Amino acid sequence: MTEPAPRIAVVVFPGSNDDRDAALALETLGAEPVLHWHAEPELPAVGAVVLPGGFSYGDYLRAGAIARFSPAMQAVAEYATNGGYVLGICNGFQVLCEAGLLPGVLRPNESLSFVCRDVAVRVERNDAPFLAACETGQRLTIPVKHGEGCYFADAELLAELERNRQIVLRYEGESPNGSIDDIAGVVNADGNVMGLMPHPEHAVDPLLGSSDGALILQALVERARERLLAAA
Amino acid sequence: MKATVLVRPKPGILDPQGKAVEDSLRHLGFKVDEARVGRLLDLEVEGTDPEAARAQVERMCAELLANPLIESYEIELGETT
């Protein structure tokens, strides 16, 4: 008998546009994705939550600033505080930063241009929950597509992130957005919440140029499975 | 009561929008040392007590209107309408 597919919620905000790609990628990797509408105040029983890419609430005010007030986000915050696994991709990363679940902020790209291309990112540590299938120092090829991906933290916060080893992914080669210290992905202090600008869900099939994103999402699926088994 | 909030990128924070405006102004022949782009919010808040209104708008800024990591803000209270 095969192991049951772990359920993973993909939160859908008005303006999300990578929710279905994320769900499809998770399904391909053995999970049972559950699309979860932002207005629902209660999360279903899931092993992990994904906040997908897109332009939630039209990116009004600041990207991610409005989405964090949605009922689903209150639940996600509680879920994360209780140790639940949360992955924010692109706009999802912006939402997590604005919600204070991840440190820092994402600002308009230094070039002011929307950037859509494959980037190389280096895995800074593979002991983070969603990077367990990677090697430290491994170079992943994953696409980015964003206008506001310039990660910023002030000197004090940056030192804290370094100290706590919260910087987990860095761009290699030409930076797509001017992020400080080439930061492409960070985790919270406990490691159960991660955000990244590149889109692993768009890189799960070699037919589309790279399957490196599957390394991240597969690890997420495994963590979700473990968590659900532990709770059962 | 009317309240106006001015949100600005903090000094030292890279402001690509301001840079683009600055370059465009120079192209037009204006002598500009620097341009920074912020945001202005006109609010109509309840009540007539300026102190209470200011306190309320302060909370709005802290919770939503500005991101303290990158932005500073100023509040101006208008006349009671």
Side-chain angles (χ1 to χ4, degrees), chain A residues 149-170:
Chain A
C150 178
Y151 185 82
F152 178 80
D154 59 23
E156 193 183 336
L157 179 58
L158 209 52
E160 187 187 319
L161 296 182
E162 286 284 1
R163 206 165 45 241
N164 297 338
R165 301 173 62 237
Q166 285 176 255
I167 300 160
V168 292
L169 294 171
R170 277 197 170 92

Side-chain angles (χ1 to χ4, degrees), chain A residues 74-93:
Chain A
Q74 318 285 329
V76 169
E78 199 184 314
Y79 183 80
T81 308
N82 292 329
Y85 294 119
V86 180
L87 178 68
I89 302 167
C90 195
N91 188 226
F93 185 10

Side-chain angles (χ1 to χ4, degrees), chain B residues 4-75:
Chain B
T4 302
V5 180
L6 278 166
V7 181
R8 293 191 171 90
K10 279 186 175 172
I13 295 281
L14 177 73
D15 174 21
Q17 223 183 146
K19 190 81 182 61
V21 170
E22 181 186 313
D23 291 347
S24 302
L25 288 171
R26 287 207 188 108
H27 268 290
L28 290 169
F30 292 105
K31 297 196 170 18
V32 186
D33 287 334
E34 194 183 29
R36 310 274 288 169
V37 174
R39 191 186 302 123
L40 183 146
L41 296 107
D42 278 328
L43 305 170
E44 190 72 50
V45 295
E46 266 187 20
T48 51
D49 175 20
E51 284 310 305
R54 182 174 292 276
Q56 197 189 164
V57 177
E58 282 278 354
R59 286 211 313 280
M60 292 179 192
C61 289
E63 287 178 31
L64 176 65
L65 302 181
N67 184 323
L69 203 54
I70 49 170
E71 294 167 330
S72 62
Y73 60 85
E74 274 174 37
I75 299 168

